Amino acid sequence: MYEFIQKAHSGWAYLALLLLVIAVVNALAGMSSGREFTAKDRKIALFGLIATHIQLVFGLLVYFVSPLGLAAFGQMSDKMLRLTSLEHPLVNLIAIVLITIGWSKHKKAVGDKAKFKAIGVFYTIGLLLILSRIPWSLWF
């Protein structure tokens, strides 16, 4: 069961990152070009939001079903254990909260540029945080 959830978490990460990158590029392009914020732009940002929230659910399942469990907290001197048991979950949770804030702020924003800016800024920060805490050695 654990291995299936872990593979789902790892596999879904590719799709979540792709959709998040597309949302960021779309928002930054829209903001810089001054074009109108359309339903297509809203859907692109929404797909990025949904993908990251599904990834969060997979991540929480992996975290609480892991054979290591919370026992890894006693071994914070081990760099890889610290990354996978503390830094990766905490920083990615913060990133997903920021992405969610960006989505909420865009809904309240008045004007196309403000909508693109809310998504562009918060999604970009979230994406950078996620990329900073991916355990790359376990991916490749």
Side-chain angles (χ1 to χ4, degrees), residues 1-9 58 61-62 64-67:
M1 175 81 167
Y2 168 72
E3 292 168 4
F4 173 77
I5 296 170
Q6 186 180 28
K7 290 201 182 303
H9 179 63
F58 282 139
L61 287 172
V62 167
F64 289 111
V65 177
S66 170

Side-chain angles (χ1 to χ4, degrees), residues 3 21 28 35 39 50 98 107-108 118 128-130 134:
E3 292 168 4
V21 167
L28 295 178
R35 66 180 163 84
I50 291 170
L98 288 171
K107 291 193 307 184
K108 296 175 185 173
L128 292 174
L129 286 173
I130 289 169
I134 290 176

Side-chain angles (χ1 to χ4, degrees), residues 32-49:
S32 65
S33 70
R35 66 180 163 84
E36 180 183 344
F37 190 86
T38 64
K40 181 189 96 176
D41 298 313
R42 185 187 64 78
K43 287 177 186 172
I44 290 171
L46 180 61
F47 290 151
L49 176 79

Side-chain angles (χ1 to χ4, degrees), residues 11-29:
W12 189 263
Y14 292 105
L15 180 62
L17 284 173
L18 176 66
L19 291 172
L20 200 54
V21 167
I22 291 169
V24 165
V25 169
N26 182 62
L28 295 178

Side-chain angles (χ1 to χ4, degrees), residues 21-130:
V21 167
I22 291 169
V24 165
V25 169
N26 182 62
L28 295 178
M31 189 172 58
S32 65
S33 70
R35 66 180 163 84
E36 180 183 344
F37 190 86
T38 64
K40 181 189 96 176
D41 298 313
R42 185 187 64 78
K43 287 177 186 172
I44 290 171
L46 180 61
F47 290 151
L49 176 79
I50 291 170
T52 56
H53 281 118
I54 291 171
Q55 182 67 2
L56 173 64
V57 171
F58 282 139
L60 290 173
L61 287 172
V62 167
Y63 191 75
F64 289 111
V65 177
S66 170
L68 287 176
L70 298 177
F73 277 105
Q75 302 171 7
M76 286 296 124
S77 60
D78 184 338
K79 186 178 178 181
M80 187 53 78
L81 274 177
R82 186 178 63 242
L83 174 65
T84 57
S85 66
L86 179 67
E87 294 172 3
H88 176 76
L90 181 63
V91 171
N92 286 338
L93 182 61
I94 293 167
I96 292 171
V97 166
L98 288 171
I99 291 166
T100 306
I101 290 170
W103 174 258
S104 296
K105 284 192 167 290
H106 114 273
K107 291 193 307 184
K108 296 175 185 173
V110 178
D112 298 326
K113 188 167 184 161
K115 289 179 184 289
F116 281 124
K117 184 177 180 182
I119 291 170
V121 168
F122 283 95
Y123 278 45
T124 299
I125 295 169
L127 176 62
L128 292 174
L129 286 173
I130 289 169

